[in-house]
Amino acid sequence: MPHASSVPVLTIDGPSGSGKGTISALVAQQLGWHLLDSGALYRAVGYAAGMEGLDLSDVEAVTRCAQTTRIQFRAKKGAETRVIVNGHDATDELRTETAGAAASAIASVPSVREALVSLQLGFRKAPGLVADGRDMGTVIFPDAAFKVFLTASAAERAKRRYKQLKDKGLSVTLSSLQREIEARDSRDASRAVAPLKPAADALLVDTTGMGIDEVVAKVLAVVQP
């Protein structure tokens, strides 16, 4: 059984809508590595807190929720990875902007982040891990051998999210999505704990106007030059 620290990790960080989720899933599939969608963990806790009717500004209650929420990823080849929260398939609910806003709000609470750190570290298993998030390369896996930071213009990210939510039959407007994305960028970049920023040793990839295959190839080249 290899020691966890010897298991290779590829971190893929970046702001909301930069394509992290899609790219990470495809790269993990091609490498045959495990996948950690850290954003889903925060969304899952936000969702669980909502189901319990908790006030997100109640630090103690939200921290307790983070410590007790059971989260599982069920991956199926060729299909979207399902996220099971406390026994309920919450995949679709976790993709809403409400869940995203809740995740961003609780992610700024140090005790919540602490509760989720050991959970995230536990995903590091052979043969390797693709970790998708915002502070994977800077805070959770600073010793990762491979690091990528994906970005794209706010307008492009709003367009992608708009299409994603429309395809799911949700009613959204492009202008409100862009405003929410810009507000979240500002909140995530300025928070005191683990602000959103590229690791010093990460490869920066601006995905504006790039196709999915092109981005996947760029990221795979980091691991398999």
Side-chain angles (χ1 to χ4, degrees), residues 147-167:
K147 297 179 184 180
V148 173
F149 190 91
L150 297 183
T151 185
S153 68
E156 169 105 358
R157 288 185 282 133
K159 261 186 266 177
R160 290 175 188 168
R161 187 53 58 89
Y162 178 77
K163 182 183 182 314
Q164 213 177 33
L165 296 175
K166 276 301 211 195
D167 288 350

Side-chain angles (χ1 to χ4, degrees), residues 70 72 74 84-89:
R70 297 188 319 282
Q72 298 164 288
R74 284 193 192 147
I84 316 300
V85 182
N86 292 332
H88 171 72
D89 185 337

Side-chain angles (χ1 to χ4, degrees), residues 41-56 58-71 85-86 106 111-112 115-116 119:
L41 298 184
Y42 287 99
R43 285 171 180 259
V45 172
Y47 168 79
M51 290 303 283
E52 286 181 39
L54 302 180
D55 176 349
L56 293 183
D58 182 339
V59 173
E60 273 182 37
V62 173
T63 302
R64 200 163 46 246
C65 181
Q67 290 164 340
T68 57
T69 299
R70 297 188 319 282
I71 304 161
V85 182
N86 292 332
I106 63 171
S111 52
V112 169
L116 292 181
L119 182 61

Side-chain angles (χ1 to χ4, degrees), residues 4 6 18 34 57 63 72 91 93 139 144 150 157 165 191 201:
S6 68
S18 57
H34 297 282
S57 63
T63 302
Q72 298 164 288
T91 314
E93 291 99 316
V139 176
L150 297 183
R157 288 185 282 133
L165 296 175
R191 68 181 178 221
D201 51 348

Side-chain angles (χ1 to χ4, degrees), residues 72-130:
Q72 298 164 288
F73 292 100
R74 284 193 192 147
K76 285 186 182 165
K77 195 154 189 183
E80 186 181 11
T81 299
R82 309 306 292 177
V83 188
I84 316 300
V85 182
N86 292 332
H88 171 72
D89 185 337
T91 314
D92 295 336
E93 291 99 316
L94 298 193
R95 292 293 166 215
T96 63
E97 287 305 303
T98 308
S104 184
I106 63 171
S108 63
V109 179
S111 52
V112 169
R113 301 189 74 84
E114 214 173 287
L116 292 181
V117 167
S118 56
L119 182 61
Q120 293 173 85
L121 294 174
F123 279 84
R124 188 176 196 167
K125 291 177 184 151
L129 173 68
V130 176

